């Protein structure tokens, strides 16, 4: 395990406050475009962390499927472990790691279900077999072996072989409404650049203005 003793030098390319846009969501979009241009594998993949009803932390990788001024959109089975955790505690965090570029974006916020029409629209855009998979897999539930899982998929595929696939009521989108977005840039000697944007959500649901500050590494 040579990697445990490796010390990479992340270089001297700086991240200054003046390098960032005033709107962190627009800045995130710019960095995502940079990651795409750099041919990062699955640049829209991020680690989503939740706390469930038993106060247990869980993390898994999901794919970002939309970003705008409302927040960060992803979709999943509402009855999955992540869905149940969000129902119990909507406070979540997300990490986008573009490590070959020495960049990370760390997000904290509140996850909420999107409107059914938005889930319908996204589901309709998915490939046919991905739509079928939403019907065939009881996400996060145990199953005896791979053959049984494949049988479920084959049965669902046959059921919808000559028809459109409707969105299951237990499957849909979430949006993370961000309250903190941190832009991280690796530097030599572990003296990394960390610049965060923070805002509050008022009791009336109104979002405050973004405040920016530098953090020590």
């Amino acid at each position: 395990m040579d990697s445990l003793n490796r010390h990479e030098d992340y270089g001297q390319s700086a991240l200054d406050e003046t390098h960032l846009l005033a709107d962190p969501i627009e800045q995130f979009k710019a960095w995502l475009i940079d990651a795409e241009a750099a041919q990062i594998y699955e640049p829209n993949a991020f680690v989503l962390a939740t706390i469930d009803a038993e106060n247990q932390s869980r993390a898994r990788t999901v794919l970002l499927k939309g970003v705008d001024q409302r927040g960060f959109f992803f979709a999943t089975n509402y009855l999955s472990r992540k869905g149940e955790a969000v129902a119990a505690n909507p406070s979540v965090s997300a990490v986008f790691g573009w490590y070959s570029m020495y960049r990370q974006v760390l997000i904290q916020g509140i996850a909420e279900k999107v409107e059914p029409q938005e889930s319908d629209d996204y589901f309709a855009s998915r490939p046919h077999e991905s739509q079928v998979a939403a019907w065939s897999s009881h996400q996060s539930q145990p199953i005896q072996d791979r053959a049984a899982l494949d049988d479920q998929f084959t049965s669902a595929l046959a059921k919808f072989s000559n028809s459109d696939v409707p969105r299951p009521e237990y499957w849909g989108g979430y949006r993370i409404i961000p309250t903190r977005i941190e832009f991280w840039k690796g530097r030599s000697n572990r003296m990394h650049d960390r610049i965060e944007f923070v805002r509050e959500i008022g009791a009336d649901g109104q979002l405050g203005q973004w405040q920016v500050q530098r953090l020590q590494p």
Side-chain angles (χ1 to χ4, degrees), residues 74-117:
F74 68 95
T76 190
N77 188 313
Y78 292 144
L79 304 179
S80 66
R81 285 177 175 172
K82 62 178 114 27
E84 291 178 344
V86 169
N89 185 345
S91 296
V92 301
S93 62
V95 179
F96 290 84
W98 301 312
Y99 304 117
S100 63
M101 302 176 69
Y102 312 140
R103 287 179 177 180
Q104 287 188 107
V105 180
L106 301 94
I107 298 166
Q108 291 174 243
I110 303 298
E112 60 180 27
K113 289 181 180 179
V114 303
E115 293 296 325
Q117 185 61 56

Side-chain angles (χ1 to χ4, degrees), residues 14-28:
L15 178 64
D16 192 76
E17 288 83 345
T18 60
H19 297 161
L20 299 176
L21 300 173
D23 184 333
I25 294 178
E26 293 303 313
Q27 182 61 51
F28 172 86

